[in-house]
Amino acid sequence: MATGADQAVGFGLVGFSLLLFTYYSIWVVVLPFVDSDHVIHSYFLPREYSVILPGIAALILLLFVGTFIGIVTWKNRKPKKVD
């Protein structure tokens, strides 16, 4: 069973993910259909960043996954036997 602290961290992560998904969805899907002089545009970055930021995040994720796999592979290798 998860402790109260684990559940609080889990709910926090789910809440943050939901907030980020909602913000990005509005930024990419809804904002192009709103007039450019509307006040809602002041809450969002320029549209170019909607492609750049996820690309950078994906590269960082791939870097961490590759580093993790490399470290685990390096630590689990067995020495060669000399006959």
Side-chain angles (χ1 to χ4, degrees):
M1 286 262 160
T3 63
D6 291 339
Q7 288 181 345
V9 170
F11 283 130
L13 288 173
V14 168
F16 176 73
S17 298
L18 184 61
L19 182 69
L20 189 67
F21 177 76
T22 304
Y23 179 86
Y24 187 77
S25 296
I26 291 172
W27 186 21
V28 172
V29 176
V30 176
L31 219 56
F33 299 106
V34 177
D35 291 336
S36 60
D37 58 343
H38 196 275
V39 71
I40 196 169
H41 281 279
S42 64
Y43 296 108
F44 296 91
L45 291 171
R47 222 173 280 150
E48 296 85 25
Y49 289 106
S50 67
V51 176
I52 295 170
L53 291 178
I56 291 172
L59 286 175
I60 291 171
L61 177 68
L62 286 174
L63 175 70
F64 281 124
V65 168
T67 302
F68 175 76
I69 290 173
I71 290 171
V72 169
T73 304
W74 183 264
K75 286 186 176 183
N76 288 335
R77 68 184 176 113
K78 297 180 182 177
K80 294 181 181 179
K81 292 183 180 180
V82 179
D83 289 332

